[in-house]
Amino acid sequence: MGCAGKILFIEEINDSTGRVYRGLQQLEEAGKLDECEGFLIGRCSRCYPSYEVSFNQLIESFFTPIGKPTITNIMSGHGTYKTTIPIGAKVTMNADTLTIETTRALVTND
């Protein structure tokens, strides 16, 4: 599945930043991050640093150089407060105002 024109959402729980880094590196080497229009990054619940690098430091160092719109620390899935992000929906994001808007739900013929 191609990532062209898509917004990538990632989230992690109970993992090391070293392992998260390896996953991001695979996406980068496959050219998937270059294809994306932007990135939504959830909080990393109960993630622990590797090589003295926190999850937030890793995300900043990885995504800032890419230069595409990025919203981080989204509370979704694994915390007290949860934001629903419908996977596959059409969305508009604004990294300046930190807003995400669902513009159309994914419709399938299943």
Side-chain angles (χ1 to χ4, degrees), residues 87-101:
I87 306 302
K90 301 286 183 180
V91 299
T92 301
M93 67 176 279
N94 185 323
D96 295 326
T97 60
L98 302 177
T99 57
I100 306 162
E101 179 182 352

Side-chain angles (χ1 to χ4, degrees), residues 3-4 20 26 31 39-40 44 55 57 64 69 79 95 99-100 106 109:
C3 293
V20 173
Q26 288 178 350
F39 308 100
L40 300 174
C44 193
F55 179 76
Q57 290 169 324
T64 299
T99 57
I100 306 162
L106 177 68
N109 293 326

Side-chain angles (χ1 to χ4, degrees), residues 21-109:
Y21 171 81
R22 287 189 294 278
L24 292 173
Q25 191 65 39
Q26 288 178 350
L27 289 172
E28 183 177 64
E29 289 178 11
K32 299 302 181 183
L33 300 181
D34 290 335
E35 295 177 10
C36 291
E37 293 296 318
F39 308 100
L40 300 174
I41 314 295
R43 285 193 173 168
C44 193
S45 302
R46 297 182 301 279
C47 289
Y48 50 94
S50 289
Y51 307 104
E52 299 181 16
V53 176
S54 72
F55 179 76
N56 288 338
Q57 290 169 324
L58 171 67
I59 295 303
E60 184 177 330
S61 69
F62 210 95
F63 287 98
T64 299
I66 294 173
K68 294 187 180 183
T70 303
I71 299 175
T72 61
N73 289 314
I74 297 169
M75 297 176 79
S76 62
H78 297 104
T80 302
Y81 302 101
K82 296 173 181 67
T83 299
T84 300
I85 299 179
I87 306 302
K90 301 286 183 180
V91 299
T92 301
M93 67 176 279
N94 185 323
D96 295 326
T97 60
L98 302 177
T99 57
I100 306 162
E101 179 182 352
T102 302
T103 56
R104 184 170 56 115
L106 177 68
V107 178
T108 64
N109 293 326

